[in-house]
Amino acid sequence: MQFTVAIDGPAASGKGTISRALAQEFGLAHLDTGLLYRAVAMKGGDPVAAAQALSPEDLKRADLRSLHAGEAASRVAVLPEVRAALTAFQRTFARRDGGAVLDGRDIGTVICPEAEVKLFVTASPETRARRRWQEAGEGNFAEVLAQVHARDARDTGRADAPLCAATDAVVLDTTDLSIEAAVAQACALVSARLKG
Ligand code: DC
């Protein structure tokens, strides 16, 4: 069975939590595509060469979830050659037998426009900054908010595969939603699509 759930959205919108919950609930494989860009950035050296030589070992680094890695990932992600080097792996993962959930910025628009379910998960910049700040346990709030704004501007403003909702995506704004409520809405969507 091929069944792809594409989840896009800005940093700290809740898309990772929702993706993991969907994968668990429906027995789907999960790929956090942001980790690929984070691993490329943290490998150092020429980012294009790093993307072309990316290995499963690179995805196991302990520092990939740091604020620094996220910021660095956003910078290498503007390079079309980096994106191109990571495309085939993501496409194959998306269409693997048994179904998959992928979360990122361009899954429903570029990586898997044929996805059976597309969600665009978002929240206000202030809410996302607060989540990131609490989760990271480092930095100060004003700095994290400035980073969120800068990251949004870079991710939505780049020429190649910018962050945007696919025209056929369902938008889920989590600003005033609990995790449970957001997950329940996403599960209902997937369930309805699976039933056909
Ligand atoms: O989802 P994240 O915070 O781990 O992503 C880190 C950066 O990687 C993000 O700011 C932009 C880039 N990215 C991307 O360009 N395309 C994706 N599909 C996933 C992440």
Side-chain angles (χ1 to χ4, degrees), residues 156-182:
T156 56
R158 69 180 176 226
D160 191 22
L163 167 67
C164 68
T167 49
D168 52 351
V170 173
V171 177
L172 184 55
D173 188 329
T174 67
T175 305
D176 298 316
L177 284 183
S178 65
I179 290 171
E180 293 76 19

Side-chain angles (χ1 to χ4, degrees), residues 66-131:
S66 67
L67 292 174
H68 167 69
E71 184 61 25
S74 169
R75 290 177 192 278
V76 299
V78 304
L79 302 170
E81 298 89 346
V82 166
R83 308 198 70 82
L86 301 175
T87 298
F89 173 71
Q90 295 176 80
R91 288 207 170 129
T92 304
F93 193 99
R95 298 318 264 169
R96 83 209 310 259
D97 194 32
V101 183
L102 286 83
D103 68 285
R105 302 291 187 289
D106 61 342
I107 309 303
T109 49
V110 174
I111 298 298
C112 194
E114 69 275 34
E116 281 72 16
V117 178
K118 293 185 192 178
L119 259 178
F120 190 81
V121 183
T122 188
S124 73
E126 290 73 19
T127 299
R128 291 186 285 117
R130 194 168 307 108
R131 288 176 188 162

